[in-house]
């Protein structure tokens, strides 16, 4: 009996329990990974310019710190290719365990990197190296977690199931911002000397929790079935009439080559998702720096962002669920249109020097963004066949993050500086990116009803 037949033979209650376990583990694992990855974003906004890039103009230091932040996004596609290859060959579960191990160790070591006063430029070099390791890890994490949730779920509920992986991003942001905000209450000299390091060192504790959960999940039944089908096809081909005994066995095609045979799907997926990541990272980095530069209390701004991120978690899941009803494309396009309209009021609220209004700015922005972010995991993953889905989804998603988020904080900070600290230029930049993504979402096929059991793309 095939793996799919075995799965169908299980009673509905057993299937639902297994799906819930996998979704919960994907959510928790994603939360831990994004705690580590986005904690760096907060530190890049409020700490690194003063610790690793001292002696510069304030906004030049910010741009330099965001350059190290971008290194993680540059490395994410590489992580998607590496982990995707082995995830499509060997299975999703083992790659998720390895990616979490790499992330936890790299994040812990960031908390030990000496500042410019001790190590000079070498501190920044070590920071970039560890940030690259973070990028490789999260590049492999997302695809595996999204596919485990997606491939264990029932048809018609895939957007809802996969949205829990993306909900890990705001949850991780809440956790990281709260922890960093707590230490930001220290006197400024103590915070910059050692306080900011503690949240990174706590990554080692979260690593233990995450590994315990990850080891308990089961492998994707759809992947197992695809592997079984391919093995049967190879055995049939090798024993077919005319086959030379002992001849060269049929080899599986490299997953990356399967994906690159259809470059249009990869490129369209990348451009469709890019603006969502640009908007997400601007909220987490530039907007925090901007609000503080207008006189708002640093700790208050961090807590406002954390509270708004907490509110947005439910909206990410609601966005995924709504996409199961209406389709991925209409929900994502609606979110982008609303965000374009909201950009100017958002910066007005952020410049108010009022923590309550700053919270409103973050909350509305993140709720609108969630309608785009919730369906994105399913939208990307459903574009590819099973034997190349880990590679294709990871690479498409991570290229979108590189294009949309990797360089955006630095570009936006530079635009803001060059325009005489005028947010109108920033608004135009983000609006144009959003329009580009809307166009490519429209050009990409609606994947809501795609058959996930298709072995090849």
């Amino acid at each position: 009996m095939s793996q799919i037949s075995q799965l169908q033979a299980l009673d509905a209650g057993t299937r639902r329990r297994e799906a819930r376990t996998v979704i919960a583990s994907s959510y928790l694992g994603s939360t831990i990974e994004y705690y580590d990855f986005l904690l760096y974003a907060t530190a890049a906004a409020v700490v690194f310019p003063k610790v690793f890039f001292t002696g510069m103009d304030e906004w030049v230091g910010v741009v330099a710190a965001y350059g190290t932040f971008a290194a993680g996004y540059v490395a994410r596609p590489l992580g998607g290719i590496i982990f995707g290859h082995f995830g499509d060959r060997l299975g999703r579960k083992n790659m998720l365990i390895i990616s979490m191990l790499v992330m936890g160790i790299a994040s812990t070591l960031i908390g030990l990197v000496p500042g410019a006063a001790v190590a000079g430029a070498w501190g920044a070099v070590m920071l970039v190296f560890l940030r690259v390791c973070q990028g490789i890890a999260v590049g492999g994490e997302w695809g595996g977690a999204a596919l485990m949730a997606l491939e264990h779920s029932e048809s018609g509920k895939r957007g809802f199931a996969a949205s829990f992986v993306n909900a890990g991003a705001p949850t991780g942001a809440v956790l990281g911002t709260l922890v960093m905000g707590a230490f930001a209450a220290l006197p400024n000299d103590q915070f910059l000397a050692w306080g900011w390091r503690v949240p990174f060192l706590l990554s080692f504790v979260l690593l233990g929790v995450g590994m315990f959960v990850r080891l308990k999940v089961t492998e994707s039944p759809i992947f197992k079935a695809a592997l079984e089908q391919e093995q049967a096809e190879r055995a049939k081909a090798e024993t077919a009439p005319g086959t030379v005994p002992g001849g060269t066995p049929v080899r599986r095609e490299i997953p990356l080559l399967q994906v690159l045979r259809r470059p249009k799907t990869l490129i369209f997926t990348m451009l469709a998702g890019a603006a969502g990541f640009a908007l997400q990272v601007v909220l987490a980095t530039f907007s925090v720096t901007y609000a503080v530069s207008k006189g708002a209390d640093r700790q208050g701004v961090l807590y406002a962002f954390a509270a708004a991120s907490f509110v947005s978690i439910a909206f990410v899941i609601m966005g995924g669920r709504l996409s199961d009803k209406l389709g991925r494309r209409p929900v994502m396009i609606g979110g982008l249109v609303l965000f374009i309209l909201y950009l100017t009021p958002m910066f007005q609220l952020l410049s108010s020097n009022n923590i309550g209004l700053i919270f409103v700015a973050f909350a509305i922005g993140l709720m609108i963004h969630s309608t785009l972010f919730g369906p994105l995991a399913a939208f990307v993953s459903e574009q590819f066949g099973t034997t190349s889905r880990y590679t294709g989804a990871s690479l498409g998603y991570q290229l979108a993050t590189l294009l949309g988020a990797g360089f955006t904080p630095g570009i936006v900070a530079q635009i803001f500086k060059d325009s005489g600290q005028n947010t109108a230029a920033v608004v135009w930049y983000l609006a144009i990116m959003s329009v580009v993504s809307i166009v490519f979402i429209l050009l990409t096929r609606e994947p809501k009803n795609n058959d996930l059991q298709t072995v090849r793309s």
Side-chain angles (χ1 to χ4, degrees):
M1 183 183 291
S2 71
Q3 294 288 343
I4 291 296
S5 299
Q6 291 175 27
L7 184 67
Q8 291 171 342
L10 296 174
D11 65 89
T14 301
R15 292 201 303 271
R16 283 195 294 270
R17 282 195 299 273
E18 184 173 326
R20 284 196 297 267
T21 299
V22 171
I23 290 169
S25 69
S26 292
Y27 170 66
L28 179 60
S30 180
T31 295
I32 292 170
E33 292 260 5
Y34 278 99
Y35 165 84
D36 291 332
F37 194 75
L38 296 176
L39 185 64
Y40 193 103
T42 304
V46 301
V47 175
F48 292 165
K50 299 178 177 66
V51 174
F52 295 101
F53 302 98
T54 56
M56 300 179 179
D57 173 79
E58 179 184 358
W59 280 98
V60 172
V62 169
V63 171
Y66 286 160
T68 70
F69 175 77
Y73 285 92
V74 172
R76 284 175 69 160
L78 177 60
I81 292 171
I82 294 170
F83 283 91
H85 174 83
F86 291 104
D88 283 325
R89 286 292 186 92
L90 306 176
R92 316 331 191 178
K93 177 180 174 178
N94 290 336
M95 295 304 105
L96 286 173
I97 292 170
I98 295 171
S99 71
M100 178 168 284
L101 189 63
V102 173
M103 176 63 85
I105 292 172
S107 299
T108 302
L109 290 176
I110 286 173
L112 300 174
V113 175
V118 175
W122 284 107
V125 171
M126 287 185 275
L127 197 66
V128 170
F129 172 76
L130 292 171
R131 181 60 175 171
V132 168
C133 292
Q134 279 193 323
I136 291 173
V138 83
E141 157 70 22
W142 180 87
L147 265 56
M148 287 287 277
L150 198 77
E151 293 177 348
H152 275 87
S153 61
E154 301 174 27
S155 179
K157 296 182 179 179
R158 299 196 307 239
F160 175 72
S163 69
F164 278 86
V165 177
N166 277 7
T171 310
V174 170
L175 187 59
T177 308
L178 284 175
V179 175
M180 186 66 80
F183 284 93
L186 290 167
N188 195 57
D189 59 337
Q190 294 182 35
F191 175 65
L192 294 177
W194 61 268
W196 69 270
R197 299 178 181 277
V198 178
F200 285 98
L201 298 176
L202 289 174
S203 298
F204 197 74
V205 177
L206 294 177
L207 173 62
V209 175
M211 293 292 285
F212 175 78
V213 173
R214 278 275 157 87
L215 289 168
K216 291 184 174 294
V217 299
T218 58
E219 182 57 86
S220 160
I222 288 178
F223 172 78
K224 286 182 178 179
L227 195 61
E228 182 183 272
Q229 181 180 333
E230 280 207 336
Q231 290 170 345
E233 289 175 356
R234 286 202 302 273
K236 183 178 179 181
E238 290 165 11
T239 58
T243 302
V244 178
T248 303
V250 179
R251 295 181 180 275
R252 287 186 63 187
E253 186 175 6
I254 295 173
L256 180 61
L257 295 181
Q258 286 183 248
V259 173
L260 295 180
R261 276 210 320 267
R262 298 175 58 213
K264 177 180 170 183
T265 301
L266 184 65
I267 293 169
F268 280 24
T269 300
M270 171 184 71
L271 292 171
F277 291 107
L279 299 173
Q280 179 190 50
V281 80
V282 163
L283 284 166
T285 58
F286 176 79
S287 296
V288 172
T289 307
Y290 177 71
V292 172
S293 74
K294 291 298 181 180
D297 174 67
R298 178 181 60 201
Q299 186 181 29
V301 172
L302 291 175
Y303 281 148
F305 180 74
S309 297
F310 180 76
V311 172
S312 75
I313 294 168
F315 284 84
V316 173
I317 297 169
M318 288 168 57
R321 189 73 185 102
L322 189 62
S323 76
D324 285 329
K325 302 290 186 182
L326 304 179
R328 319 295 184 220
R329 297 194 307 166
V331 177
M332 292 169 67
I333 290 171
L336 284 168
V337 170
L338 288 174
F339 215 115
I340 292 171
L341 298 175
Y342 177 64
L343 282 168
T344 297
M346 181 182 79
F347 283 114
Q348 291 173 345
L349 290 169
L350 288 170
S351 65
S352 66
N353 197 17
N354 181 301
I355 295 299
L357 293 178
I358 291 170
F359 164 74
V360 171
F362 283 135
I364 295 175
L366 287 169
M367 284 189 288
I368 293 173
H369 178 263
S370 296
T371 61
L372 165 68
F373 200 51
L376 190 60
F379 174 82
V380 173
S381 301
E382 289 166 337
Q383 305 289 340
F384 302 94
T386 302
T387 55
S388 64
R389 186 173 293 132
Y390 201 143
T391 301
S394 295
L395 190 55
Y397 192 88
Q398 302 311 332
L399 286 173
T401 67
L402 173 59
L403 181 64
F407 301 103
T408 294
I411 292 172
V412 167
Q414 190 67 51
I415 290 172
F416 182 69
K417 178 179 177 293
D418 292 345
S419 65
Q421 301 190 8
N422 185 346
T423 57
V426 174
V427 168
W428 274 107
Y429 176 79
L430 295 173
I432 291 170
M433 284 198 71
S434 299
V435 170
V436 170
S437 282
I438 288 172
V439 169
F440 281 93
I441 291 171
L442 289 170
L443 292 174
T444 304
R445 62 180 180 175
E446 171 59 59
K448 180 171 75 78
N449 296 317
N450 287 358
D451 180 10
L452 286 191
Q453 295 179 27
T454 300
V455 173
R456 295 179 179 83
S457 302

